[in-house]
Amino acid sequence: MCGISGWVSYERDLRQERSTAEAMNATMACRGPDAQGLWLGGHAALGHRRLAIIDLPGGTQPMTERTPDGDVVLIYSGEAYNFAELREELRRCGHSFRTDSDTEVVLRGYLEWGAELPERLNGMYAFAVWDGRTERLLLMRDRMGIKPLYYFPTEDGALFGSEPKAILANPVAPREVGLEGLRELFSMAKTPGCAVWSGMREVEPGTVVTVDRAGVHTHTYWRLRAAEHTDSREDTVAQVRRLLDDIVRRQLVADVPRCILLSGGLDSSAVTALAAQQLRGRETVRSFAVDFVGQSENFVPDGLRATPDTPYVYDVARHAGTDHQDIVLDPQGLADPSVRTAAVRARDLPLGLGDMDQSLLLLFRAIREHSTVALSGESADEVFGGYAWFHDPATRDAGTFPWLAALERQHGRGGSSVLAPELRERLDLPGYLAQRYEEALAQVPRLDSEDDPLERRMREVCYLHLTRFVRILLDRKDRLSMATGLEVRVPFCDHRLVEYVFNTPWSLKTFDGREKSLLRQATADLLPRSVLERVKSPYPSAQDPAYAAELQTQVRDLLSAGTSPALDLLDRTWLRQITAVEPEQVGTADRNGLERTLDLAVWFELERPTLTLGS
């Protein structure tokens, strides 16, 4: 896992731009604390920061292959889980290898297959190839968008990086955000390709972006497709299990300490149990869970969380025989302004998830003291249909993105109601979301034979989650983990599993009348009954009123100082009202507004964005 950055300019000699290229590369230091490298050519500059995972001495980058017609240079972030098979195939094609790294497999794979390389990869990756033979840049991203990659077209080329901060370190890219960017920021639509910053684009998952003297071109090499599912229930369950066994086996490969993120839910428990089974007799699996001071003793059920995680975590740890450790957080640590600053810096944007971001960052910091690689249960809900709103007709049929309908029903519009009324009117978020929703529905692949209304609707719902919502969560997990130098792998995002389960009928996904029927049945022999019977519970959030009190104090201080540019976007009257009530009276929607306020203030301080609200 690593961070990459680069610059292509056909009208400059970039060998004279070392300081700028170094500044771009320096922003990726958190993603790659183990080594750094820079390659400068006449029209290309490529930077790399390395987090060493496989072949620690041999995977140095940028990695270059010199040819009579020009250098071919690779900078690579991620993992190719099938690199061993590809290496053997390339050897049969006549290639020889100097290292044992998957990076060299990717480089020689490009030399053999060119832009068709990513079609052969199984993994999570975002990489750039400068092909000096044709003087063109290729940016390639994995199918599900697990690893981030951004680019900024210029008049004579492009800038790119694993994160926007790498691009913004170059003075060619203005730090501007327009109305469209703010709409995206405050909407949770996750429009494909949109990067919020004006002029910047996100390389879409499953896409190759090519930059040459003629401009910027894109090619989609993978997308979800509709296909008939003909397997029986028993065969489907067996195939899901076969895939999971193979996926976890591949994703356990590392030359550094590894662990599992365990929440006590079905998803992470399944990954934990599969890993423990595969490593039994060779290695004891390490597992980590997040908890909050007093949470288990004082837990109060709400509309999202019926039970605390800890009892289920312990059941799985005992059942699978893991070496388990809880990371216990307190309200003061969660509300520490320096932690919020680190989370906003990691994500480049003020996304307003507050303690759920801060607790995840603190969890990853603690895990990094013991492990460099962690496997996660992320994305199983999107793949197998686990969220409560999948099963609530009023929410899933609300005529908008289901997760937004669910949040509005549960909490109201706290995250956007904090905005100043005149800004809310200009943004017209309901209109923006309606447009984005219709665009998304138009992309859903369909079967002519799929005439049952519920099956057609659930294909839509699954597609929306696999192409929109899951990318919000994957970006969050990547940014916050890499900010601590921890690589998080997501077995449920293996494209083979995603493709297979996407095309199973909804009646099969819910054959036992519950959520995630296929996953539950496929791993039933590995898990304690308590976990198999547990109802879905999302990532935990601090319930202690002391945390809300800390937020109120910080927002009052912000209002009193009155100097933050963020206040120009906010409804100060609303903020004064919310900060005046007792902490116990601060509801979830109100707290979301306080979190958004503080994130915006930090973002303006860190990034100094210029808002161009005329566009």
Side-chain angles (χ1 to χ4, degrees):
M1 195 62 61
C2 308
I4 65 175
S5 63
W7 185 6
V8 169
S9 173
Y10 293 105
E11 296 180 2
R12 300 181 189 231
D13 182 353
L14 293 184
R15 291 169 295 189
Q16 307 303 314
E17 301 285 352
R18 173 177 289 274
S19 61
T20 300
E22 287 177 342
M24 295 174 68
N25 200 31
T27 65
M28 296 292 94
C30 58
R31 298 186 69 92
D34 296 330
Q36 62 178 312
L38 193 67
W39 183 91
L40 297 176
H43 297 304
L46 279 67
H48 186 267
R49 297 287 311 213
R50 187 184 186 203
L51 175 64
I53 301 294
I54 293 175
D55 187 12
L56 306 191
T60 302
Q61 299 183 53
M63 189 172 284
T64 303
E65 179 71 12
R66 299 190 181 282
T67 79
D69 299 316
D71 292 351
V72 178
V73 189
L74 170 71
I75 46 176
Y76 172 70
S77 170
E79 306 292 343
Y81 300 126
N82 62 337
F83 76 95
E85 298 98 307
L86 290 177
R87 182 167 53 207
E88 292 309 308
E89 183 177 355
L90 287 164
R91 279 177 172 151
R92 291 193 294 271
C93 292
H95 292 267
S96 58
F97 289 82
R98 302 185 298 268
T99 74
D100 294 324
S101 69
D102 61 338
T103 303
E104 187 177 5
V105 172
V106 172
L107 175 59
R108 298 198 175 280
Y110 173 77
L111 293 170
E112 182 67 27
W113 299 305
E116 296 179 356
L117 165 65
E119 299 174 26
R120 296 173 176 264
L121 296 176
N122 176 306
M124 55 178 191
Y125 47 84
F127 59 92
V129 176
W130 171 252
D131 193 331
R133 300 169 301 180
T134 57
E135 289 198 324
R136 68 174 184 168
L137 172 76
L138 295 96
L139 304 174
M140 307 185 192
R141 193 176 182 200
D142 66 67
R143 295 169 179 84
M144 291 296 291
I146 304 168
K147 305 316 297 174
L149 187 56
Y150 296 82
Y151 66 102
F152 183 92
T154 65
E155 291 183 355
D156 69 330
L159 310 171
F160 67 91
S162 293
E163 300 177 7
K165 59 176 63 72
I167 294 170
L168 295 172
N170 191 310
V172 170
R175 293 175 173 267
E176 295 178 355
V177 177
L179 278 177
E180 199 75 355
L182 290 182
R183 291 184 180 110
E184 187 66 22
L185 175 62
F186 294 127
S187 68
M188 285 189 73
K190 194 56 179 174
T191 304
C194 182
V196 175
W197 296 94
S198 297
M200 193 182 299
R201 300 289 294 168
E202 186 176 12
V203 177
E204 293 187 34
T207 298
V208 177
V209 174
T210 303
V211 180
D212 57 26
R213 291 181 181 273
V216 177
H217 323 277
T218 62
H219 166 69
T220 300
Y221 70 86
W222 183 88
R223 58 168 56 93
L224 279 172
R225 300 184 186 279
E228 292 283 356
H229 185 82
T230 58
D231 291 349
S232 67
R233 178 198 299 179
E234 293 74 17
D235 289 344
T236 300
V237 170
Q239 176 64 0
V240 168
R241 178 58 178 270
R242 281 192 292 270
L243 285 169
L244 288 173
D245 282 336
D246 181 66
I247 292 163
V248 171
R249 176 183 62 81
R250 290 175 182 276
Q251 296 197 20
L252 284 171
V253 174
D255 294 334
V256 292
R258 58 206 166 182
C259 69
I260 311 292
L261 305 178
L262 177 59
S263 71
L266 176 62
D267 316 335
S268 65
S269 299
V271 174
T272 302
L274 287 163
Q277 181 187 59
Q278 296 201 19
L279 295 176
R280 187 166 291 127
R282 296 184 289 132
E283 179 182 334
T284 298
V285 171
R286 296 207 66 170
S287 61
F288 293 88
V290 68
D291 198 4
F292 304 96
V293 171
Q295 182 94 322
S296 297
E297 299 82 358
N298 304 311
F299 180 82
V300 177
D302 59 27
L304 290 176
R305 302 168 183 85
T307 54
D309 288 344
T310 301
Y312 301 92
V313 167
Y314 291 170
D315 282 354
V316 174
R318 284 191 296 267
H319 194 82
T322 74
D323 177 9
H324 181 74
Q325 181 178 339
D326 287 333
I327 307 301
V328 182
L329 308 177
D330 59 60
Q332 291 72 33
L334 283 175
D336 185 337
S338 69
V339 177
R340 182 180 300 277
T341 298
V344 174
R345 179 183 290 114
R347 302 198 67 183
D348 287 306
L349 293 171
L351 297 170
L353 294 182
D355 75 296
M356 290 194 291
D357 275 358
Q358 283 126 233
S359 64
L360 196 61
L361 179 69
L362 292 173
L363 171 67
F364 289 154
R365 281 182 181 174
I367 291 174
R368 186 61 177 87
E369 296 178 5
H370 309 278
S371 299
T372 310
V373 169
L375 271 65
S376 166
E378 191 78 86
S379 307
D381 288 307
E382 290 78 12
V383 173
F384 290 98
Y387 293 114
W389 54 78
F390 275 80
H391 309 271
D392 174 23
T395 303
R396 74 179 181 222
D397 299 332
T400 187
F401 295 107
W403 54 93
L404 296 178
L407 289 172
E408 183 174 352
R409 291 187 66 188
Q410 292 159 357
H411 305 310
R413 295 181 178 273
S416 60
S417 63
V418 71
L419 300 176
E422 58 273 19
L423 178 59
R424 287 206 304 272
E425 183 176 351
R426 293 193 67 188
L427 291 177
D428 183 22
L429 293 181
Y432 180 77
L433 285 167
Q435 177 187 353
R436 294 309 190 203
Y437 179 66
E438 290 303 317
E439 291 171 354
L441 285 184
Q443 298 171 359
V444 178
R446 304 181 187 278
L447 293 174
D448 293 337
S449 60
E450 201 168 58
D451 52 9
D452 179 82
L454 178 59
E455 290 290 348
R456 286 178 64 85
R457 177 55 182 163
M458 294 316 298
R459 183 180 289 278
E460 292 175 349
V461 170
C462 292
Y463 181 85
L464 293 174
H465 281 77
L466 291 169
T467 61
R468 303 300 194 279
F469 191 62
V470 75
R471 295 176 188 175
I472 298 174
L473 303 181
L474 290 173
D475 185 75
R476 169 179 178 254
K477 187 144 286 182
D478 173 86
R479 300 296 198 89
L480 295 173
S481 62
M482 293 306 295
T484 69
L486 177 71
E487 174 178 296
V488 174
R489 299 177 177 179
V490 279
F492 291 112
C493 277
D494 186 292
H495 71 279
R496 298 170 298 162
L497 180 68
V498 172
E499 291 171 343
Y500 185 75
V501 177
F502 175 67
N503 282 300
T504 59
W506 183 246
S507 59
L508 194 52
K509 289 186 176 79
T510 57
F511 68 79
D512 62 359
R514 295 194 56 189
E515 78 285 355
K516 294 184 282 195
S517 305
L518 292 173
L519 177 60
R520 182 178 293 101
Q521 187 65 30
T523 56
D525 61 310
L526 299 174
L527 298 173
R529 180 163 297 278
S530 61
V531 170
L532 290 171
E533 295 177 351
R534 189 186 185 193
V535 175
K536 160 69 184 174
S537 184
Y539 183 83
S541 179
Q543 293 186 327
D544 195 330
Y547 179 71
E550 289 281 351
L551 297 182
Q552 288 176 299
T553 298
Q554 292 177 26
V555 172
R556 279 196 295 267
D557 292 344
L558 188 71
L559 288 167
S560 178
T563 57
S564 173
L567 294 174
D568 294 336
L569 304 181
L570 302 171
D571 187 339
R572 302 190 195 204
T573 301
W574 185 88
L575 288 172
R576 291 190 183 96
Q577 291 172 348
I578 296 303
T579 55
V581 303
E582 293 298 319
E584 292 80 3
Q585 296 177 303
V586 177
T588 302
D590 300 332
R591 199 173 85 171
N592 290 345
L594 297 176
E595 300 276 23
R596 175 75 77 181
T597 297
L598 295 172
D599 279 7
L600 279 167
V602 170
W603 183 58
F604 272 96
E605 183 177 351
L606 287 175
E607 303 294 348
R608 310 287 181 183
T610 298
L611 301 186
T612 54
L613 301 187
S615 60

